[in-house]
């Protein structure tokens, strides 16, 4: 069994029960004590579990928790880059697209540099900064107004009103969480209203979300799962998530992430 497969099993168990013990994992996975401890170290370094004596606990996540942009930008970086590369293939020259705020969409914006003739609407200061430095001279970037959030999004009535008058070919949405029932969610109520206006402005919705977003639920729903034409995630997305998303969304695209050396222990 590959390291990433073991780690996915450990994380799923920690989230299901709230805690895992090294001794139990050794027996279940059929590996050594040291191997399990190294897997826990990897998960802890990603902020997915908290190590305790003899095992680890699931990291508590509240529906209104919202880390800042810098904190989120280093999480799951390889997965975000893989997702961005796949999602960029959906963009055709000369189209009008919307991009929401977030570190995954910021990574996606960096993958658009070779596509000419785009008109891009965003409520993200960070995304706009990336797009402004593009080598494409025929690119138009529209930044909404609004109130700035910890994730450097511009939200509120001004942002929502400007988005409601637009008609976009594709909208690329980053989310705080996704789950069966709540759908795609955010911990920020005002950002939810703005994101909904952005979703409504697009003919097709593409959600960009790495595997850690599955099962996370923010306080406010942006869109139902069925509203997404495409969801782009990574190859560590659990099987149950793949099944549920495949039943609800138009298309589920899985991006293979680059592995660190030694990850296949």
């Amino acid at each position: 069994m590959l390291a990433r497969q073991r780690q996915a099993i450990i994380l799923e168990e920690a989230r299901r029960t709230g805690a895992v013990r090294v001794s139990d994992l050794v027996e279940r996975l059929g590996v050594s004590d040291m191997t399990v401890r190294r897997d826990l170290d990897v998960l802890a370094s990603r902020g997915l579990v908290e190590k305790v004596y003899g095992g680890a606990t699931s990291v508590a996540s509240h529906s209104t928790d919202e880390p800042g942009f810098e904190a989120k930008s280093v999480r799951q970086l390889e997965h975000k880059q893989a997702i961005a590369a796949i999602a960029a293939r959906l963009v055709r020259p000369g189209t009008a697209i919307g991009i929401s705020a977030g570190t995954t969409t910021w990574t996606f914006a960096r993958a658009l540099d070779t596509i000419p003739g785009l008109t891009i609407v965003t409520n993200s200061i960070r995304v706009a900064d990336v797009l402004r430095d593009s080598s494409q001279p025929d690119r138009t970037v529209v930044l909404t107004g609004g109130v700035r959030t910890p994730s450097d999004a511009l939200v509120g009535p001004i942002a929502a009103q400007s988005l409601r008058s637009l008609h976009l070919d594709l909208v690329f949405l980053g989310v705080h969480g996704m789950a069966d029932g709540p759908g795609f969610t955010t911990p920020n109520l005002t950002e939810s209203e703005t994101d909904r206006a952005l979703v409504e402005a697009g003919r097709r919705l593409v959600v960009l979300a790495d595997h850690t977003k599955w099962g996370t639920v923010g306080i406010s729903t942006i869109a139902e799962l069925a509203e997404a034409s495409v969801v782009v995630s990574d190859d560590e997305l659990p099987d149950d998530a793949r099944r549920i998303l495949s039943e609800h969304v138009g298309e589920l695209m899985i991006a293979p992430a680059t592995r660190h050396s030694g990850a296949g222990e």
Side-chain angles (χ1 to χ4, degrees), residues 4-69:
R4 63 183 179 87
Q5 293 173 313
R6 290 197 310 271
Q7 291 157 16
I9 292 171
I10 293 170
L11 180 59
E12 182 180 359
E13 183 66 10
R15 287 174 171 173
R16 185 179 68 83
T17 64
V20 290
R21 295 175 59 88
V22 170
S23 57
D24 293 338
L25 293 171
V26 167
E27 181 176 354
R28 177 176 177 180
L29 299 172
V31 295
S32 69
D33 177 284
M34 289 303 298
T35 295
V36 169
R37 292 184 186 278
R38 282 196 293 268
D39 287 338
L40 291 177
D41 285 340
V42 171
L43 293 172
S45 71
R46 296 175 181 172
L48 300 176
V49 300
E50 181 176 347
K51 291 189 66 180
V52 296
Y53 182 77
T57 60
S58 178
V59 174
S61 178
H62 303 292
S63 61
T64 55
D65 285 347
E66 182 177 17
F69 187 95

Side-chain angles (χ1 to χ4, degrees), residues 24 34 37 45 52 58 69 71-72 111 118 139 153 162 169 194-195 216 222 226-227 233 239 241-242 258:
D24 293 338
M34 289 303 298
R37 292 184 186 278
S45 71
V52 296
S58 178
F69 187 95
K72 292 190 292 184
L118 296 179
R139 174 168 295 178
S162 65
D169 297 301
T194 304
D195 282 344
T216 298
I222 303 166
E227 293 181 61
S233 190
D239 290 341
R242 298 190 191 205
T258 303

